[in-house]
Amino acid sequence: MHVRVTFVAAASSTRPVAERFDDDSPLDREGIQRAVPGLAPLAAADLRYCSPTPRSRATGELLGYVPLVQPALRDCDMGRWRGMTLGEAMAREPRAVHAWLADPRCAPHGGESLHDFITRVGGWLDTRPSDDGATITAVAEPAVIRAALTYALKAPPSVYWNVDVRPLSAVTVLGRPGRWYLRLDVPYAPPVRA
C-alpha cells in the first residue's frame, strides 16, 4: 500500500526580500501571471488539498485543483514575529532569533518551534489515505513543503534550512506512514541524434 503526494509551492505574492513570517497576503498580479499550465495535470489527482493561506487557495484554484483546505498545512506559527521580516525580528530580538535558528526545539517568539512545525506537517502526511496507488496534490507555502521533505527524509531539523522551494515548483513523496521516498520526475526528452 502506498500513496503519492505531490506538493506544489504556492505562487508568490511578494518579492523574496520582503517575505514576512506567516504572511497570508493574497497573490499579486505577477504571481497570478506565473501560474504555470504545466502543473494543471496534477488536478487529476484523487485528492487535492491546500494550506489555508489565500495565496495557496488561489494558486490551487488557478491551476484547476479545487482544493480542500487543510489546517495542518498552515505555515509555522511565528507568534509575536508574525508579519515581520527576518531582518525586523533580528533588529528587535537578535538573541531570540539566534536561539531560534540554532535550536529546533526553541520557540522564543511564543509560537511553534521548528521541531513542532515539522512534526505537525509530517503527521498530516502520515495520515493521508494509503489506498494503493492513490495520488494526492497539495498546494502549500514553501515553508510547509520544506517541513514535509525534512520529515519524509527523516532528516535532522537543521536540514530544513538547506531546502530551497521556489514558487510554483513541485516535488513528490511516495510511500506510506513512516516510510517515505523522495521522487524526482523528469520529463522524457528523446535523445538528440547527431
Side-chain angles (χ1 to χ4, degrees), residues 46-76:
D46 298 320
L47 297 167
R48 294 165 301 283
Y49 300 117
C50 71
S51 73
T53 63
R55 182 172 41 224
S56 293
R57 288 193 311 265
T59 300
E61 290 167 3
L62 284 169
L63 296 171
Y65 295 178
V66 190
L68 177 64
V69 174
Q70 297 287 284
L73 292 180
R74 70 189 180 283
D75 210 339
C76 188

Short mmCIF file of all heavy atoms in Angstrom, two decimals, residues 46-76:
data_model
loop_
_atom_site.label_atom_id
_atom_site.label_comp_id
_atom_site.label_asym_id
_atom_site.label_seq_id
_atom_site.Cartn_x
_atom_site.Cartn_y
_atom_site.Cartn_z
N ASP A 46 -6.37 12.02 -7.14
CA ASP A 46 -7.53 11.50 -6.42
C ASP A 46 -8.02 12.49 -5.37
O ASP A 46 -9.22 12.66 -5.16
CB ASP A 46 -7.19 10.17 -5.74
CG ASP A 46 -6.81 9.09 -6.74
OD1 ASP A 46 -7.45 9.01 -7.81
OD2 ASP A 46 -5.86 8.33 -6.46
N LEU A 47 -7.07 13.15 -4.68
CA LEU A 47 -7.40 14.13 -3.65
C LEU A 47 -6.56 15.38 -3.88
O LEU A 47 -5.38 15.30 -4.20
CB LEU A 47 -7.10 13.57 -2.26
CG LEU A 47 -7.93 12.35 -1.85
CD1 LEU A 47 -7.34 11.69 -0.61
CD2 LEU A 47 -9.37 12.75 -1.60
N ARG A 48 -7.18 16.56 -3.69
CA ARG A 48 -6.49 17.84 -3.89
C ARG A 48 -6.68 18.69 -2.64
O ARG A 48 -7.81 18.97 -2.24
CB ARG A 48 -7.04 18.55 -5.12
CG ARG A 48 -6.73 17.79 -6.41
CD ARG A 48 -7.56 18.27 -7.60
NE ARG A 48 -8.99 18.17 -7.45
CZ ARG A 48 -9.71 17.05 -7.56
NH1 ARG A 48 -9.11 15.91 -7.80
NH2 ARG A 48 -11.02 17.06 -7.43
N TYR A 49 -5.56 19.08 -2.04
CA TYR A 49 -5.58 19.85 -0.81
C TYR A 49 -4.81 21.15 -0.98
O TYR A 49 -4.05 21.32 -1.93
CB TYR A 49 -4.91 19.06 0.33
CG TYR A 49 -5.55 17.74 0.66
CD1 TYR A 49 -4.86 16.54 0.50
CD2 TYR A 49 -6.85 17.68 1.16
CE1 TYR A 49 -5.43 15.33 0.84
CE2 TYR A 49 -7.43 16.47 1.50
CZ TYR A 49 -6.71 15.29 1.33
OH TYR A 49 -7.28 14.10 1.67
N CYS A 50 -4.98 22.04 0.01
CA CYS A 50 -4.15 23.25 0.06
C CYS A 50 -4.05 23.72 1.50
O CYS A 50 -4.85 23.34 2.35
CB CYS A 50 -4.71 24.35 -0.82
SG CYS A 50 -6.23 25.11 -0.22
N SER A 51 -3.06 24.54 1.74
CA SER A 51 -2.94 25.16 3.06
C SER A 51 -3.99 26.26 3.16
O SER A 51 -4.54 26.68 2.13
CB SER A 51 -1.52 25.71 3.26
OG SER A 51 -1.33 26.87 2.49
N PRO A 52 -4.27 26.78 4.35
CA PRO A 52 -5.34 27.77 4.49
C PRO A 52 -5.00 29.18 4.01
O PRO A 52 -5.87 30.04 4.04
CB PRO A 52 -5.63 27.78 5.99
CG PRO A 52 -4.65 26.92 6.65
CD PRO A 52 -3.81 26.27 5.62
N THR A 53 -3.78 29.43 3.55
CA THR A 53 -3.45 30.80 3.13
C THR A 53 -4.18 31.18 1.85
O THR A 53 -4.41 30.33 0.98
CB THR A 53 -1.94 30.97 2.89
OG1 THR A 53 -1.54 30.13 1.81
CG2 THR A 53 -1.12 30.64 4.12
N PRO A 54 -4.57 32.45 1.73
CA PRO A 54 -5.22 32.89 0.50
C PRO A 54 -4.38 32.60 -0.74
O PRO A 54 -4.89 32.23 -1.78
CB PRO A 54 -5.38 34.41 0.70
CG PRO A 54 -5.36 34.61 2.17
CD PRO A 54 -4.45 33.53 2.72
N ARG A 55 -3.07 32.74 -0.61
CA ARG A 55 -2.16 32.51 -1.73
C ARG A 55 -2.21 31.05 -2.19
O ARG A 55 -2.26 30.76 -3.38
CB ARG A 55 -0.75 32.90 -1.26
CG ARG A 55 0.32 32.79 -2.26
CD ARG A 55 1.63 33.39 -1.77
NE ARG A 55 1.94 33.10 -0.38
CZ ARG A 55 2.40 34.01 0.46
NH1 ARG A 55 2.58 35.24 0.09
NH2 ARG A 55 2.69 33.67 1.71
N SER A 56 -2.23 30.10 -1.25
CA SER A 56 -2.29 28.68 -1.60
C SER A 56 -3.64 28.32 -2.22
O SER A 56 -3.71 27.59 -3.21
CB SER A 56 -2.04 27.80 -0.37
OG SER A 56 -0.71 27.96 0.07
N ARG A 57 -4.71 28.82 -1.61
CA ARG A 57 -6.05 28.54 -2.16
C ARG A 57 -6.16 29.09 -3.58
O ARG A 57 -6.65 28.42 -4.48
CB ARG A 57 -7.13 29.14 -1.25
CG ARG A 57 -7.29 28.39 0.05
CD ARG A 57 -8.56 28.80 0.78
NE ARG A 57 -8.75 30.23 0.90
CZ ARG A 57 -8.39 30.97 1.95
NH1 ARG A 57 -7.81 30.39 2.98
NH2 ARG A 57 -8.63 32.27 1.98
N ALA A 58 -5.72 30.33 -3.77
CA ALA A 58 -5.82 30.96 -5.10
C ALA A 58 -4.96 30.23 -6.12
O ALA A 58 -5.39 30.03 -7.26
CB ALA A 58 -5.41 32.43 -5.02
N THR A 59 -3.77 29.78 -5.72
CA THR A 59 -2.90 29.03 -6.64
C THR A 59 -3.60 27.74 -7.06
O THR A 59 -3.65 27.42 -8.24
CB THR A 59 -1.54 28.72 -5.99
OG1 THR A 59 -0.89 29.94 -5.65
CG2 THR A 59 -0.66 27.91 -6.94
N GLY A 60 -4.14 27.01 -6.10
CA GLY A 60 -4.85 25.77 -6.43
C GLY A 60 -6.02 26.00 -7.35
O GLY A 60 -6.22 25.26 -8.33
N GLU A 61 -6.79 27.02 -7.08
CA GLU A 61 -7.95 27.32 -7.92
C GLU A 61 -7.54 27.74 -9.32
O GLU A 61 -8.15 27.32 -10.31
CB GLU A 61 -8.81 28.39 -7.25
CG GLU A 61 -9.51 27.86 -6.01
CD GLU A 61 -10.12 28.95 -5.14
OE1 GLU A 61 -10.05 30.14 -5.51
OE2 GLU A 61 -10.64 28.59 -4.06
N LEU A 62 -6.48 28.56 -9.43
CA LEU A 62 -6.00 28.98 -10.76
C LEU A 62 -5.51 27.80 -11.59
O LEU A 62 -5.61 27.81 -12.81
CB LEU A 62 -4.86 29.99 -10.62
CG LEU A 62 -5.28 31.40 -10.23
CD1 LEU A 62 -4.06 32.23 -9.86
CD2 LEU A 62 -6.04 32.06 -11.37
N LEU A 63 -4.98 26.79 -10.92
CA LEU A 63 -4.48 25.61 -11.62
C LEU A 63 -5.57 24.57 -11.84
O LEU A 63 -5.32 23.50 -12.38
CB LEU A 63 -3.30 25.01 -10.86
CG LEU A 63 -2.06 25.92 -10.79
CD1 LEU A 63 -1.03 25.35 -9.84
CD2 LEU A 63 -1.47 26.14 -12.17
N GLY A 64 -6.79 24.88 -11.40
CA GLY A 64 -7.92 23.97 -11.64
C GLY A 64 -8.01 22.85 -10.63
O GLY A 64 -8.64 21.83 -10.90
N TYR A 65 -7.41 22.99 -9.45
CA TYR A 65 -7.38 21.90 -8.48
C TYR A 65 -8.63 21.81 -7.62
O TYR A 65 -8.95 20.77 -7.11
CB TYR A 65 -6.19 22.05 -7.53
CG TYR A 65 -4.83 21.91 -8.18
CD1 TYR A 65 -3.69 22.07 -7.43
CD2 TYR A 65 -4.67 21.62 -9.53
CE1 TYR A 65 -2.43 21.95 -7.99
CE2 TYR A 65 -3.43 21.52 -10.10
CZ TYR A 65 -2.31 21.68 -9.33
OH TYR A 65 -1.07 21.58 -9.88
N VAL A 66 -9.35 22.91 -7.38
CA VAL A 66 -10.46 22.99 -6.45
C VAL A 66 -10.06 22.27 -5.15
O VAL A 66 -10.60 21.23 -4.79
CB VAL A 66 -11.76 22.40 -7.04
CG1 VAL A 66 -12.95 22.71 -6.15
CG2 VAL A 66 -12.01 22.90 -8.46
N PRO A 67 -9.07 22.82 -4.44
CA PRO A 67 -8.51 22.14 -3.28
C PRO A 67 -9.35 22.24 -2.02
O PRO A 67 -10.08 23.20 -1.81
CB PRO A 67 -7.17 22.85 -3.09
CG PRO A 67 -7.42 24.23 -3.60
CD PRO A 67 -8.41 24.08 -4.73
N LEU A 68 -9.22 21.23 -1.17
CA LEU A 68 -9.84 21.19 0.14
C LEU A 68 -8.82 21.76 1.13
O LEU A 68 -7.68 21.29 1.20
CB LEU A 68 -10.19 19.75 0.51
CG LEU A 68 -10.78 19.52 1.90
CD1 LEU A 68 -12.13 20.22 2.02
CD2 LEU A 68 -10.93 18.03 2.14
N VAL A 69 -9.20 22.77 1.90
CA VAL A 69 -8.29 23.42 2.85
C VAL A 69 -7.94 22.47 3.99
O VAL A 69 -8.83 21.84 4.58
CB VAL A 69 -8.91 24.72 3.38
CG1 VAL A 69 -8.05 25.33 4.49
CG2 VAL A 69 -9.11 25.72 2.26
N GLN A 70 -6.66 22.38 4.31
CA GLN A 70 -6.16 21.53 5.38
C GLN A 70 -5.47 22.40 6.44
O GLN A 70 -4.35 22.88 6.20
CB GLN A 70 -5.16 20.51 4.84
CG GLN A 70 -5.75 19.53 3.86
CD GLN A 70 -6.65 18.54 4.55
OE1 GLN A 70 -6.19 17.62 5.19
NE2 GLN A 70 -7.96 18.73 4.42
N PRO A 71 -6.08 22.62 7.60
CA PRO A 71 -5.45 23.43 8.63
C PRO A 71 -4.05 22.94 9.04
O PRO A 71 -3.19 23.73 9.39
CB PRO A 71 -6.42 23.36 9.81
CG PRO A 71 -7.75 23.09 9.16
CD PRO A 71 -7.43 22.21 7.98
N ALA A 72 -3.81 21.64 8.99
CA ALA A 72 -2.50 21.09 9.36
C ALA A 72 -1.40 21.53 8.40
O ALA A 72 -0.21 21.42 8.72
CB ALA A 72 -2.55 19.57 9.43
N LEU A 73 -1.77 22.04 7.22
CA LEU A 73 -0.78 22.50 6.25
C LEU A 73 -0.52 24.01 6.37
O LEU A 73 0.08 24.61 5.48
CB LEU A 73 -1.22 22.16 4.81
CG LEU A 73 -1.23 20.69 4.46
CD1 LEU A 73 -1.70 20.48 3.03
CD2 LEU A 73 0.14 20.06 4.68
N ARG A 74 -0.97 24.61 7.47
CA ARG A 74 -0.71 26.04 7.65
C ARG A 74 0.78 26.26 7.91
O ARG A 74 1.49 25.35 8.34
CB ARG A 74 -1.56 26.61 8.78
CG ARG A 74 -1.17 26.14 10.15
CD ARG A 74 -2.17 26.56 11.22
NE ARG A 74 -1.75 26.08 12.53
CZ ARG A 74 -1.86 24.84 12.96
NH1 ARG A 74 -2.41 23.92 12.18
NH2 ARG A 74 -1.45 24.51 14.17
N ASP A 75 1.23 27.47 7.68
CA ASP A 75 2.62 27.83 7.90
C ASP A 75 2.95 27.73 9.38
O ASP A 75 2.05 27.63 10.23
CB ASP A 75 2.86 29.25 7.37
CG ASP A 75 4.27 29.47 6.88
OD1 ASP A 75 5.18 28.71 7.27
OD2 ASP A 75 4.48 30.42 6.10
N CYS A 76 4.21 27.80 9.71
CA CYS A 76 4.66 27.76 11.09
C CYS A 76 4.08 28.94 11.87
O CYS A 76 4.09 30.07 11.38
CB CYS A 76 6.19 27.80 11.13
SG CYS A 76 6.89 27.52 12.76
#
